[in-house]
Amino acid sequence: MKILVTGVRGQLGHDVVEELTRRGIDAVGVDIEEMDVTDKDSVDSVVRGAAPDAVIHCAAYTAVDAAEENEELCRRVNADGPRNIAGVCRELDIKMLQVSTDYVFDGRGDNFWRPEDECHPQSVYGQTKYEGELAVQNTLEKYFIVRIAWSFGVNGKNFVKTMLNLAKTHDTIRVVDDQVGSPTYTFDLARLLVDMVLTDRYGIYHATNEGICSWYDFACAIFEEAGVDVKVIPVSTEEYAAKAPRPANSRLDKEKLTENGFEKLPPWRDALKRFLLQLNA
């Protein structure tokens, strides 16, 4: 078995390759230097050359605010990229797993978003990720789309690292408290993605660590678990005034995982503890 993984220098791609290696599965990790997903010829050449049994596509343009001013580039990466990969996968008759996001939903209300719910993205990032989903669905039959949220891992930038770095220079930190969702530890997620791609239980799934919190709750937990003394002040989305709109409600329904024989991820607080131990190691 051989699996090609994109975005290997990012936090999720890195952890997926590590998980594959732990299981003795041949992993081919690529990033933009090895394969530019926006270049159809590059994708075609690299995927055919690797001749994998499946592709796990983790690479994405994830700078949510910058995307509002760089729509063309964001679309090339997040929509054209998956389309290019799906096209080769179809020709080679191999599986594709596409990683997507809670941003495909409008984030209103207090319901848990189900995989089959209608998507109404509110930002350039969300819209282009949704277009990437559609490209995969319209091209392939053998596909998995896994929507995640609030990801953090040892290899790359994330909210946990940002909070810990801010605490080194700030006594007080302002964090939004009216956006809720579930953090996702990429170490845990990688195990699920590998479990999934080894099956033929295709479709759209949601995957985050269990439990719901706000960004404010998450920040407080980070400092508590890390033993850092800093004052966290809750602020509204309106007060924070980010360039791109964020979903206020990122509650994702993950029952489809259980229904298809996959294990849900552990509680987010447990994941945070393990991540901090990993960081300190």
Side-chain angles (χ1 to χ4, degrees):
M1 187 89 182
K2 181 192 287 187
I3 297 178
L4 187 143
V5 181
T6 69
V8 70
R9 291 180 185 85
Q11 54 187 2
L12 179 56
H14 171 271
D15 283 0
V16 169
V17 168
E18 291 280 301
E19 180 63 24
L20 289 166
T21 303
R22 268 192 294 272
R23 298 194 196 191
I25 298 170
D26 192 1
V28 179
V30 298
D31 217 294
I32 189 169
E33 292 84 358
E34 295 81 23
M35 185 179 89
D36 180 353
V37 298
T38 70
D39 182 337
K40 191 173 182 298
D41 292 336
S42 173
V43 171
D44 195 77
S45 172
V46 172
V47 176
R48 287 180 184 277
D53 299 287
V55 176
I56 298 180
H57 182 38
C58 302
Y61 185 109
T62 58
V64 176
D65 288 324
E68 297 294 311
E69 295 178 351
N70 295 281
E71 184 169 352
E72 183 183 349
L73 173 59
C74 188
R75 178 162 283 110
R76 292 208 330 262
V77 176
N78 290 347
D80 295 344
R83 184 177 295 108
N84 291 336
I85 294 170
V88 187
C89 288
R90 181 184 60 195
E91 291 175 18
L92 298 179
D93 191 28
I94 61 176
K95 309 171 189 178
M96 177 178 178
L97 190 155
Q98 164 76 12
V99 179
S100 194
T101 174
D102 57 306
Y103 276 72
V104 299
F105 298 114
D106 62 26
R108 300 192 178 113
D110 57 5
N111 57 296
F112 280 75
W113 299 103
R114 298 170 302 172
E116 63 272 18
D117 284 342
E118 279 192 40
C119 295
H120 296 287
Q122 301 295 298
S123 64
V124 168
Y125 168 67
Q127 177 62 32
T128 58
K129 288 295 286 184
Y130 180 48
E131 290 169 15
E133 287 189 12
L134 293 175
V136 172
Q137 292 178 69
N138 293 335
T139 305
L140 290 171
E141 292 182 2
K142 296 179 178 180
Y143 71 82
F144 308 87
I145 292 170
V146 183
R147 298 184 183 128
I148 68 171
W150 300 20
S151 62
F152 63 95
V154 73
N155 193 61
K157 298 176 182 178
N158 56 62
F159 182 76
V160 182
K161 291 182 181 179
T162 298
M163 289 297 105
L164 293 174
N165 284 331
L166 281 174
K168 293 174 184 176
T169 55
H170 294 69
D171 296 325
T172 303
I173 299 174
R174 299 162 69 246
V175 182
V176 170
D177 73 339
D178 58 359
Q179 297 170 20
V180 298
S182 305
T184 310
Y185 184 20
T186 53
F187 176 86
D188 292 341
L189 178 63
R191 288 159 59 191
L192 171 65
L193 298 187
V194 174
D195 285 346
M196 193 174 281
V197 83
L198 297 177
T199 74
D200 58 1
R201 295 168 219 158
Y202 304 116
I204 302 175
Y205 293 87
H206 292 163
T208 64
N209 284 93
E210 288 297 293
I212 299 294
C213 63
S214 68
W215 286 109
Y216 168 78
D217 297 330
F218 192 18
C220 291
I222 291 165
F223 297 129
E224 185 178 323
E225 295 293 349
V228 174
D229 185 19
V230 62
K231 185 176 182 180
V232 187
I233 298 176
V235 297
S236 68
T237 298
E238 190 176 5
E239 287 175 273
Y240 195 77
K243 185 167 291 183
R246 263 68 171 174
N249 173 24
S250 289
R251 298 174 178 90
L252 298 179
D253 185 318
K254 293 158 286 192
E255 292 308 311
K256 189 172 178 180
L257 291 174
T258 308
E259 291 164 5
N260 284 275
F262 300 116
E263 281 190 35
K264 290 181 181 177
L265 306 189
W268 68 264
R269 187 88 183 218
D270 169 75
L272 173 62
K273 290 178 183 178
R274 287 182 286 116
F275 173 62
L276 292 173
L277 287 174
Q278 187 184 17
L279 268 188
N280 292 332

